[in-house]
Amino acid sequence: MTGVPHTSGQPTQLKSAEVEIPAQIRAPRRGGVVWRCFGDVRATLMAPQLLLLQVSHPVVGAGVADHSNFRAEPWPRLIRTLLSLTTVVYGGQQAATAEARRLLHVHAGVKGTDPRGRRYHALDPEAYHWVHATLFKGPVDAQSLFGKGMSAGELDEYYRGMRGVRRVWGLKECHLPPDWPSFLVYYDEMVTHRLEFNRSVQDVLDELARPAQPFRRLPGPLWTPFARLAAHYALLVTVRALPPVPRERLHLTWSPRQERALRRFARVVRLLMALVLPPLRIAVSLAIAYRATHRPGTDPATRRPLGAW
């Protein structure tokens, strides 16, 4: 398998040298393909699918089940995740490096034993690599499903840029497939052979079926109809993106009727996004990154214009 070696049984923890964030690795440049596509609002439609893929890995699933408050507070966790991701991609070099180091420190203590008696650690190389691989591929799938897709040249530039982002996150060069075709081979093998059903997968599916209210003061009569509609399409996008083998393994089904419904939804999204100027498609991500890098308590050295190197 290309990339991180398959690990079964006892996971191998990343050593300090393996999580060192090289000073010469740069965050994405302003205006590049990564800048334009990673934070595109359409990519947020893939978020439930990415979360499901991540927790389907046995190490990630066990860590989330034992150390996360996802079931009790799904929305605050989602907001924290968005703050972190957009900081690394859009916050500029110093903010990206600081955030990556913070993540490594936070995950260093996430370890334990899963229900099958397997020891796990959040910095297990295979699991850590897999989480970032899903984040890498999500925007590509979003462009394919809800846009015109990326050209070969754009994919090449995007992949090179995201390799840099993943180095900022602490992954070593030897852990990264060298090119896009190699990445797809690695990704398909992981999806087919390593993902499994677990408690965290069920928690994500339960939240997709019945999304919690994001604000306690939000009246139920206003939230309920929107939640039902959002849950319907979020589940369609999530299930459709999975190949048949992991779909069956995660106890999910797909029918021609669901396929037609998703195609109609995708057409609506494409029509609506055609009316939005490209810079505005990442406006939410830029706003989140600005909030993450300029809020009280952040290091003043990181408070620079977004994307600045």
Side-chain angles (χ1 to χ4, degrees):
M1 180 174 65
T2 306
V4 173
H6 172 80
T7 58
S8 58
Q10 304 304 326
T12 303
Q13 296 180 15
L14 283 173
K15 299 176 183 178
S16 59
E18 292 179 297
V19 297
E20 182 179 0
I21 301 172
Q24 73 273 18
I25 301 300
R26 294 298 181 181
R29 65 180 180 85
R30 179 183 289 270
V33 175
V34 173
W35 178 276
R36 298 197 308 270
C37 295
F38 187 87
D40 189 305
V41 67
R42 288 168 290 190
T44 61
L45 298 175
M46 309 301 295
Q49 179 233 3
L50 302 187
L51 180 57
L52 186 67
L53 286 169
Q54 290 169 12
V55 300
S56 297
H57 190 286
V59 171
V60 181
V64 170
D66 293 346
H67 297 270
S68 171
N69 61 349
F70 172 79
R71 289 189 298 171
E73 298 180 332
W75 286 103
R77 178 173 175 79
L78 174 61
I79 292 172
R80 289 193 297 270
T81 299
L82 289 174
L83 285 171
S84 178
L85 290 176
T86 54
T87 296
V88 173
V89 176
Y90 295 102
Q93 185 62 34
Q94 289 183 286
T97 303
E99 176 59 18
R101 293 189 184 281
R102 186 193 70 82
L103 287 176
L104 290 173
H105 175 75
V106 168
H107 287 93
V110 178
K111 53 187 174 180
T113 304
D114 73 9
R116 298 187 185 183
R118 300 172 295 190
R119 289 193 303 159
Y120 68 85
H121 192 286
L123 295 184
D124 166 65
E126 183 189 81
Y128 194 70
H129 183 276
W130 172 243
V131 168
H132 295 95
T134 63
L135 299 173
F136 172 95
K137 194 167 182 292
V140 177
D141 292 339
Q143 291 292 324
S144 177
L145 181 60
F146 299 114
K148 63 179 182 179
M150 293 187 190
S151 67
E154 288 174 328
L155 270 175
D156 183 60
E157 181 184 339
Y158 178 82
Y159 189 76
R160 290 198 310 270
M162 285 304 293
R163 278 173 62 89
V165 170
R166 295 171 79 181
R167 293 298 311 281
V168 171
W169 265 315
L171 290 162
K172 292 184 70 175
E173 186 71 24
C174 63
H175 289 158
L176 306 176
D179 51 38
W180 177 248
S182 300
F183 173 82
L184 291 181
V185 171
Y186 152 77
Y187 194 91
D188 290 343
E189 288 190 4
M190 286 293 295
V191 168
T192 301
H193 300 296
R194 284 295 282 147
L195 306 189
E196 64 183 34
F197 187 86
N198 55 50
R199 169 184 157 188
S200 294
V201 169
Q202 188 60 60
D203 288 343
V204 172
L205 293 174
D206 288 345
E207 182 61 26
L208 276 176
R210 296 177 296 276
Q213 292 184 209
F215 310 107
R216 294 181 179 179
R217 295 182 179 181
L218 183 65
L222 292 179
W223 171 248
T224 299
F226 174 80
R228 289 176 179 171
L229 186 65
H232 172 69
Y233 288 109
L235 193 59
L236 284 178
V237 174
T238 299
V239 178
R240 173 63 176 82
L242 295 174
V245 172
R247 191 185 296 159
E248 181 178 351
R249 192 178 300 150
L250 300 182
H251 308 161
L252 301 171
T253 60
W254 189 254
S255 67
R257 180 179 180 181
Q258 290 172 301
E259 179 70 31
R260 291 192 296 270
L262 179 62
R263 289 181 179 179
R264 290 193 296 268
F265 176 61
R267 283 197 296 269
V268 171
V269 173
R270 284 194 293 268
L271 288 172
L272 291 176
M273 291 308 298
L275 304 176
V276 180
L277 294 174
L280 296 180
R281 296 170 187 170
I282 64 170
V284 173
S285 293
L286 293 178
I288 293 174
Y290 187 87
R291 169 74 176 91
T293 55
H294 289 72
R295 68 182 184 274
T298 54
D299 183 354
T302 67
R303 298 175 190 171
R304 300 188 175 190
L306 299 183
W309 285 7

